[in-house]
Amino acid sequence: LNMKKLSILFNKDLLISKKEYSSLFSGIAFGLTSIIFYNLTIDLFILDVKTVLPGLLWITFLFCGILVTNKSFEQEIDNGIIYALKILNIPLTLIAISKTVTNFLFILVIEFVLIIAALVFFNIQIVDFRMILPIIIISLGMISLLTCLSPLSYKNQSGTFLTYIIVVPLLIPLLLAATRITFVLIGIIDVEQHWVLLGTLFSFWQTIMSIILFQFIIDE
């Protein structure tokens, strides 16, 4: 029964997202602009771009994730849909899971486009394809936290600033692991299993905790 409810919620979120692609296009536009800016400003003759690109990419992914998730619950809050769903006895955890999966698909599209752009602009290549799966898992942890905190930034004017204060410290372990894994992806360093394990476990923990905490955030 819960799976049927989740399927209905996911279809609803997907339909809303299809009608409003602004967040997806904004994320892609911001990311591509950042990649072009990095390409123009980094002196390739002095600095090996591979040593800084992974960190820059994940900072870009983070801000793209904020753009994608910032208005995740705009329709639900403005039109009272969230309260209607609560009256219909739809668990808030299912609402969080559905919205997280939708945003996760969006961020994967953005990351794919930006990684391809980075490969082209900086003339690098993927060396270890095994690292793609950990990157996808870490992206899930990042986007789940951003999604479940997005009602804070939408419901009041100071919420966006508060969201940044909360998000950045919580995502530091994930971003560190993601950066190291991306180094492996493009062949700068050898595989470091402890970073892969840290990123994977922390991402799953982040996802579960974000979905659990969502019900307290939405009730505020």
Side-chain angles (χ1 to χ4, degrees):
L1 183 58
N2 280 341
M3 288 302 297
K4 184 177 181 180
K5 291 179 180 179
L6 181 59
S7 176
I8 294 172
L9 287 172
F10 177 69
N11 289 331
K12 181 264 295 179
D13 290 332
L14 211 53
L15 285 173
I16 292 176
S17 299
K18 285 181 179 179
K19 292 179 181 178
E20 300 179 0
Y21 276 120
S22 58
S23 61
L24 176 62
F25 292 143
S26 297
I28 292 176
F30 171 80
L32 288 177
T33 302
S34 300
I35 295 294
I36 294 172
F37 178 77
Y38 300 152
N39 185 53
L40 294 175
T41 55
I42 296 176
D43 190 342
L44 301 180
F45 295 100
I46 299 176
L47 181 67
D48 184 1
V49 69
K50 291 183 179 181
T51 61
V52 296
L53 185 59
L56 293 175
L57 273 178
W58 278 99
I59 292 173
T60 306
F61 292 162
L62 173 61
F63 282 104
C64 287
I66 291 173
L67 286 173
V68 167
T69 61
N70 189 40
K71 295 184 178 180
S72 290
F73 294 93
E74 179 181 16
Q75 295 285 341
E76 284 81 357
I77 295 175
D78 284 351
N79 299 327
I81 296 175
I82 193 77
Y83 304 107
L85 292 173
K86 289 169 68 175
I87 292 172
L88 291 173
N89 200 29
I90 303 295
L92 290 175
T93 52
L94 293 185
I95 299 173
I97 292 172
S98 174
K99 194 68 72 172
T100 297
V101 171
T102 304
N103 289 334
F104 177 56
L105 294 177
F106 271 32
I107 200 65
L108 285 184
V109 172
I110 293 172
E111 288 179 356
F112 175 78
V113 171
L114 297 189
I115 288 175
I116 295 300
L119 297 179
V120 172
F121 277 105
F122 296 103
N123 193 29
I124 58 178
Q125 60 183 356
I126 295 176
V127 175
D128 195 337
F129 285 89
R130 295 175 300 170
M131 296 299 104
I132 293 178
L133 181 58
I135 287 175
I136 291 174
I137 294 173
I138 289 174
S139 299
L140 174 61
M142 178 183 72
I143 210 69
S144 63
L145 179 62
L146 293 175
T147 298
C148 293
L149 289 179
S150 63
L152 287 178
S153 61
Y154 186 73
K155 290 168 71 174
N156 58 79
Q157 293 182 347
S158 61
T160 301
F161 181 69
L162 179 63
T163 301
Y164 294 151
I165 294 176
I166 296 174
V167 163
V168 173
L170 291 177
L171 286 180
I172 286 177
L174 269 185
L175 295 179
L176 286 175
T179 301
R180 300 296 297 186
I181 291 170
T182 307
F183 276 126
V184 179
L185 181 74
I186 60 178
I188 298 298
I189 59 176
D190 295 328
V191 179
E192 297 177 323
Q193 294 295 342
H194 60 284
W195 282 111
V196 176
L197 182 61
L198 172 66
T200 302
L201 292 179
F202 198 84
S203 180
F204 283 132
W205 176 84
Q206 196 85 276
T207 301
I208 295 170
M209 291 304 299
S210 298
I211 291 172
I212 293 174
L213 290 175
F214 173 76
Q215 58 186 326
F216 301 103
I217 294 172
I218 203 66
D219 283 336
E220 286 294 325

